[in-house]
Amino acid sequence: MSTDHHEDRPQGLTRWLFTTNHKDIGTLYLWFSFTMAVVGGIMSLVIRSELWEPGLQIVEPGFFNQMTTLHGLIMVFGFVMPAFVGLANWQLPMMIGAPDMALPRMNNWSFWLLPPAATLLVLSLFAPGGAPGVGWTLYAPLSTRAGMGMDFVILSIHMLGISSILGSINIIATILNMRAPGMILMKMPMFVWSWLITAFLLLAAIPVLAGAVTMLLTDRHFGTSFFDAAGGGDPVLFQHIFWFFGHPEVYILVLPAFGVFSQIIPTFARKPLFGYTSMVFATATIAFLSFIVWAHHMYTVGMPMGGELFFMYATMLIAVPTGVKVFNWVSTMWQGSMTFETPMLWAIGGVFTFTMGGITGLMLSVTPADFQYHDTYFVVAHFHYTIIGGSVLAIFAAVYYWLPKWTGHMFSEPLGKTHFWLTLIGFNLTFFPQHFLGLAGMPRRIPDYALQFTGFNEVSTVGSFITIVAQLIFFYLVFKCIRGGKKATDQVWEDAEGLEWAVPSPAPYHTFATPPQVK
């Protein structure tokens, strides 16, 4: 725990390399994640540009597949996860009245594992044979036969996983041991609850992925046959292990977003969160159920009927606690004195688009129907509605909500709202037509398509360019906020509740030298 409350913060490169301060590390995570968002976004533009019209025009099919692989890995492990860890680093200690994270040096290490891991991912493009064109799911036997770039990806995933595990341990230790006197578990803010549950999910899921890619590595270089049918292995085993990690991973990306919505919506509805206790239990239920639905990604592998029915019903069941959360957010807004500042717009947009993704998820859960949707653009549309709709919109909501507290300056509301509307319109133009493409049978991860799919693909590509260009407004707005502008008050939003609003704006380098009392 930091004790040097009266020392000035260190300056220059040393400050950022060796910092153990939770705010500095949170800032590093956020800048890293937005850098990776730019890299992954450029890759998505390559994909969408190639799909502007039928035929092969811009890139080779092999390179197209490399882009789909790296875009997925970078957006999941390089953008969304580090962004939420950055928010956790900044906010959790301030929300629970702790002076810092429980394990500050480990906190530094868990961040500095990320840049080399991300560099390895991008460098795989330049390995002999290029990056693996196997999709972000890395299915064997494609991945056992891929070039050297696959080894870069495996090492990168191990490093990213170690970083996630260290971060999770730190978050759990901080929340369980460092809450201010009087803050019992059922008085914790929802963002803190959602991160506590997410951290346990990470601890349970990440080692499974590590096991899968280690078995892949030994299959590739050490003569084992885990996934090679010729040696007595089973390629479907890789899918089981991957998705046993992969489905909880979806909720690792989404549960912190639920916490963000639960902080922002009550503030701008000027009402307490409806059904706090049910929200906590719904979050825990979602986390538990996320571990028993993994094979709904695998209906087409030839499972026994009993297995397919089990995974179908378990997947439908997960809609219940998720529906509870959506109902509670809507009930919080119901008859509230709502205003629509920028963070509230992002939160409402996030709840709406996530709910759309949830509805298509229910469609995909139905086993016989999934045989039609499987590996089509319908699936692509579904998970972008949940991950962009749920996670990415929540990240923007959170940054707009807490940015004045971090920088001490207010951002431009008109610019923030322009950013929101352009992003929302661009996002829906990109992914809504993909539902129709998928239902009509257009397969994903293929750089060419039949002539009748041209119209929807053109709309989709225009939408993707609007979405990416809109993010330039965000970067301008953040830089302007850091440089100066209208001074933010300590209580930035008049009805916001929580310990973080009790500290000055900008938040001091060290907060809570003496723990605050929670009534």
Side-chain angles (χ1 to χ4, degrees), residues 259-463:
V260 168
F261 296 150
S262 300
Q263 296 299 128
I264 292 175
I265 290 171
T267 297
F268 297 102
R270 289 165 181 76
K271 277 175 65 187
L273 181 68
F274 180 87
Y276 172 89
T277 310
S278 65
M279 281 298 227
V280 173
F281 283 106
T283 310
T285 307
I286 289 168
F288 169 73
L289 290 175
S290 73
F291 276 103
I292 59 167
V293 296
W294 78 90
H296 66 211
H297 298 266
M298 301 169 49
Y299 287 144
T300 57
V301 301
M303 251 187 289
M305 176 76 75
E308 290 186 336
L309 286 172
F310 168 80
F311 287 109
M312 180 169 90
Y313 292 131
T315 305
M316 288 177 170
L317 194 61
I318 212 165
V320 176
T322 314
V324 166
K325 296 182 90 67
V326 174
F327 174 83
N328 284 8
W329 291 322
V330 174
S331 300
T332 305
M333 292 187 267
W334 180 255
Q335 293 191 332
S337 305
M338 284 215 292
T339 51
F340 297 98
E341 285 88 344
T342 305
M344 184 63 158
L345 285 180
W346 284 99
I348 294 172
V351 170
F352 172 76
T353 45
F354 176 80
T355 305
M356 289 274 301
I359 291 164
T360 54
L362 264 179
M363 293 169 68
L364 285 160
S365 74
V366 181
T367 310
D370 182 78
F371 276 76
Q372 171 71 20
Y373 309 139
H374 187 78
D375 260 342
T376 69
Y377 267 85
F378 189 84
V379 178
V380 177
H382 156 70
F383 70 70
H384 281 88
Y385 266 85
T386 53
I387 302 305
I388 296 183
S391 307
V392 178
L393 267 61
I395 290 164
F396 283 125
V399 171
Y400 281 110
Y401 188 57
W402 284 307
L403 190 64
K405 178 56 68 182
W406 302 340
T407 63
H409 302 114
M410 291 305 291
F411 55 84
S412 157
E413 277 284 338
L415 273 183
K417 287 177 175 165
T418 307
H419 174 218
F420 167 73
W421 286 112
L422 277 177
T423 303
L424 195 74
I425 291 164
F427 162 72
N428 280 291
L429 275 179
T430 307
F431 294 107
F432 198 74
Q434 292 181 12
H435 291 107
F436 305 132
L437 290 169
L439 290 173
M442 180 176 163
R444 61 183 179 151
R445 293 183 186 161
I446 294 178
D448 194 6
Y449 53 84
L451 205 57
Q452 69 262 31
F453 299 140
T454 309
F456 282 138
N457 269 295
E458 286 178 343
V459 172
S460 199
T461 297
V462 169

Side-chain angles (χ1 to χ4, degrees), residues 64-256:
F64 180 90
N65 289 342
Q66 293 175 37
M67 288 289 100
T68 58
T69 303
L70 289 184
H71 168 73
L73 289 169
I74 284 170
M75 287 309 208
V76 169
F77 295 107
F79 169 35
V80 177
M81 287 172 76
F84 279 128
V85 178
L87 292 172
N89 261 295
W90 249 105
Q91 292 307 129
L92 290 183
M94 291 206 293
M95 291 175 119
I96 64 172
D100 207 305
M101 297 294 278
L103 305 158
R105 288 179 182 171
M106 194 167 88
N107 206 8
N108 174 289
W109 189 34
S110 70
F111 171 75
W112 283 109
L113 282 166
L114 290 180
T119 308
L120 267 177
L121 261 187
V122 177
L123 281 180
S124 69
L125 277 170
F126 304 99
V134 298
W136 83 279
T137 50
L138 311 175
Y139 277 4
L142 284 173
S143 48
T144 49
R145 289 168 174 72
M148 190 198 288
M150 189 69 219
D151 299 315
F152 283 45
V153 170
I154 289 171
L155 183 55
S156 170
I157 285 173
H158 272 304
M159 292 169 73
L160 292 162
I162 293 166
S163 168
S164 291
I165 288 168
L166 296 180
S168 312
I169 292 167
N170 205 351
I171 285 167
I172 292 167
T174 305
I175 295 172
L176 294 186
N177 297 319
M178 298 181 70
R179 299 192 305 283
M183 184 176 280
I184 58 171
L185 283 173
M186 293 311 282
K187 278 190 181 174
M188 293 196 311
M190 273 311 300
F191 183 69
V192 179
W193 258 118
S194 65
W195 247 116
L196 179 63
I197 291 165
T198 302
F200 279 109
L201 270 183
L202 275 161
L203 283 186
I206 293 288
V208 179
L209 177 66
V213 294
T214 304
M215 291 155 86
L216 206 54
L217 191 72
T218 60
D219 268 15
R220 286 169 58 80
H221 298 296
F222 300 104
T224 56
S225 298
F226 291 113
F227 309 127
D228 184 0
D234 181 4
V236 176
L237 175 65
F238 181 86
Q239 296 189 30
H240 277 292
I241 302 172
F242 179 86
W243 285 116
F244 193 77
F245 147 81
H247 201 81
E249 169 64 21
V250 173
Y251 288 96
I252 287 162
L253 300 176
V254 163
L255 289 182

